[in-house]
PDB file of all heavy atoms in Angstrom:
ATOM      1  N   GLU W  94     152.580  87.847 134.417  1.00  0.00           N
ATOM      2  CA  GLU W  94     153.695  88.112 133.493  1.00  0.00           C
ATOM      3  C   GLU W  94     155.011  87.511 133.979  1.00  0.00           C
ATOM      4  O   GLU W  94     156.027  87.645 133.306  1.00  0.00           O
ATOM      5  CB  GLU W  94     153.873  89.629 133.293  1.00  0.00           C
ATOM      6  CG  GLU W  94     152.744  90.291 132.557  1.00  0.00           C
ATOM      7  CD  GLU W  94     152.594  89.835 131.121  1.00  0.00           C
ATOM      8  OE1 GLU W  94     153.582  89.346 130.511  1.00  0.00           O
ATOM      9  OE2 GLU W  94     151.461  89.951 130.603  1.00  0.00           O
ATOM     10  N   GLN W  95     154.989  86.849 135.132  1.00  0.00           N
ATOM     11  CA  GLN W  95     156.196  86.285 135.738  1.00  0.00           C
ATOM     12  C   GLN W  95     157.311  87.331 135.767  1.00  0.00           C
ATOM     13  O   GLN W  95     158.436  87.114 135.328  1.00  0.00           O
ATOM     14  CB  GLN W  95     156.635  85.024 134.999  1.00  0.00           C
ATOM     15  CG  GLN W  95     155.599  83.930 135.053  1.00  0.00           C
ATOM     16  CD  GLN W  95     156.019  82.674 134.322  1.00  0.00           C
ATOM     17  OE1 GLN W  95     157.142  82.542 133.846  1.00  0.00           O
ATOM     18  NE2 GLN W  95     155.103  81.727 134.243  1.00  0.00           N
ATOM     19  N   ALA W  96     156.967  88.498 136.302  1.00  0.00           N
ATOM     20  CA  ALA W  96     157.855  89.650 136.270  1.00  0.00           C
ATOM     21  C   ALA W  96     158.810  89.736 137.454  1.00  0.00           C
ATOM     22  O   ALA W  96     159.525  90.711 137.591  1.00  0.00           O
ATOM     23  CB  ALA W  96     157.020  90.929 136.182  1.00  0.00           C
ATOM     24  N   VAL W  97     158.809  88.733 138.303  1.00  0.00           N
ATOM     25  CA  VAL W  97     159.681  88.768 139.479  1.00  0.00           C
ATOM     26  C   VAL W  97     160.776  87.730 139.314  1.00  0.00           C
ATOM     27  O   VAL W  97     160.505  86.586 138.938  1.00  0.00           O
ATOM     28  CB  VAL W  97     158.869  88.468 140.763  1.00  0.00           C
ATOM     29  CG1 VAL W  97     159.767  88.469 141.982  1.00  0.00           C
ATOM     30  CG2 VAL W  97     157.733  89.464 140.911  1.00  0.00           C
ATOM     31  N   GLN W  98     162.003  88.134 139.592  1.00  0.00           N
ATOM     32  CA  GLN W  98     163.087  87.173 139.588  1.00  0.00           C
ATOM     33  C   GLN W  98     163.572  87.010 141.021  1.00  0.00           C
ATOM     34  O   GLN W  98     163.043  86.196 141.748  1.00  0.00           O
ATOM     35  CB  GLN W  98     164.212  87.597 138.656  1.00  0.00           C
ATOM     36  CG  GLN W  98     165.200  86.475 138.405  1.00  0.00           C
ATOM     37  CD  GLN W  98     166.106  86.742 137.223  1.00  0.00           C
ATOM     38  OE1 GLN W  98     165.898  87.660 136.445  1.00  0.00           O
ATOM     39  NE2 GLN W  98     167.128  85.943 137.088  1.00  0.00           N
ATOM     40  N   CYS W  99     164.492  87.825 141.485  1.00  0.00           N
ATOM     41  CA  CYS W  99     164.951  87.669 142.868  1.00  0.00           C
ATOM     42  C   CYS W  99     163.934  88.242 143.859  1.00  0.00           C
ATOM     43  O   CYS W  99     163.827  87.774 144.969  1.00  0.00           O
ATOM     44  CB  CYS W  99     166.320  88.302 143.079  1.00  0.00           C
ATOM     45  SG  CYS W  99     166.313  90.078 143.381  1.00  0.00           S
ATOM     46  N   GLY W 100     163.211  89.281 143.443  1.00  0.00           N
ATOM     47  CA  GLY W 100     162.147  89.830 144.262  1.00  0.00           C
ATOM     48  C   GLY W 100     162.545  90.911 145.248  1.00  0.00           C
ATOM     49  O   GLY W 100     161.685  91.543 145.847  1.00  0.00           O
ATOM     50  N   TYR W 101     163.835  91.158 145.428  1.00  0.00           N
ATOM     51  CA  TYR W 101     164.240  92.120 146.442  1.00  0.00           C
ATOM     52  C   TYR W 101     163.744  93.531 146.140  1.00  0.00           C
ATOM     53  O   TYR W 101     163.275  94.233 147.026  1.00  0.00           O
ATOM     54  CB  TYR W 101     165.763  92.122 146.638  1.00  0.00           C
ATOM     55  CG  TYR W 101     166.125  92.626 147.995  1.00  0.00           C
ATOM     56  CD1 TYR W 101     166.091  91.781 149.100  1.00  0.00           C
ATOM     57  CD2 TYR W 101     166.433  93.959 148.206  1.00  0.00           C
ATOM     58  CE1 TYR W 101     166.369  92.247 150.378  1.00  0.00           C
ATOM     59  CE2 TYR W 101     166.726  94.435 149.477  1.00  0.00           C
ATOM     60  CZ  TYR W 101     166.690  93.578 150.547  1.00  0.00           C
ATOM     61  OH  TYR W 101     166.955  94.041 151.810  1.00  0.00           O
ATOM     62  N   CYS W 102     163.794  93.935 144.895  1.00  0.00           N
ATOM     63  CA  CYS W 102     163.372  95.293 144.519  1.00  0.00           C
ATOM     64  C   CYS W 102     161.870  95.392 144.273  1.00  0.00           C
ATOM     65  O   CYS W 102     161.335  96.482 144.088  1.00  0.00           O
ATOM     66  CB  CYS W 102     164.103  95.731 143.251  1.00  0.00           C
ATOM     67  SG  CYS W 102     163.636  94.745 141.807  1.00  0.00           S
ATOM     68  N   MET W 103     161.186  94.271 144.249  1.00  0.00           N
ATOM     69  CA  MET W 103     159.781  94.256 143.834  1.00  0.00           C
ATOM     70  C   MET W 103     158.895  95.159 144.672  1.00  0.00           C
ATOM     71  O   MET W 103     157.958  95.755 144.152  1.00  0.00           O
ATOM     72  CB  MET W 103     159.241  92.828 143.906  1.00  0.00           C
ATOM     73  CG  MET W 103     158.792  92.165 142.642  1.00  0.00           C
ATOM     74  SD  MET W 103     158.508  93.118 141.181  1.00  0.00           S
ATOM     75  CE  MET W 103     160.021  92.881 140.325  1.00  0.00           C
ATOM     76  N   ASN W 104     159.174  95.286 145.947  1.00  0.00           N
ATOM     77  CA  ASN W 104     158.388  96.197 146.773  1.00  0.00           C
ATOM     78  C   ASN W 104     158.417  97.596 146.173  1.00  0.00           C
ATOM     79  O   ASN W 104     157.380  98.211 145.961  1.00  0.00           O
ATOM     80  CB  ASN W 104     158.919  96.224 148.210  1.00  0.00           C
ATOM     81  CG  ASN W 104     158.209  97.263 149.048  1.00  0.00           C
ATOM     82  OD1 ASN W 104     157.079  97.083 149.465  1.00  0.00           O
ATOM     83  ND2 ASN W 104     158.875  98.390 149.256  1.00  0.00           N
TER      84      ASN W 104
END
Side-chain angles (χ1 to χ4, degrees):
E94 292 295 336
Q95 298 180 6
V97 179
Q98 193 165 349
C99 83
Y101 204 82
C102 66
M103 243 345 98
N104 174 76

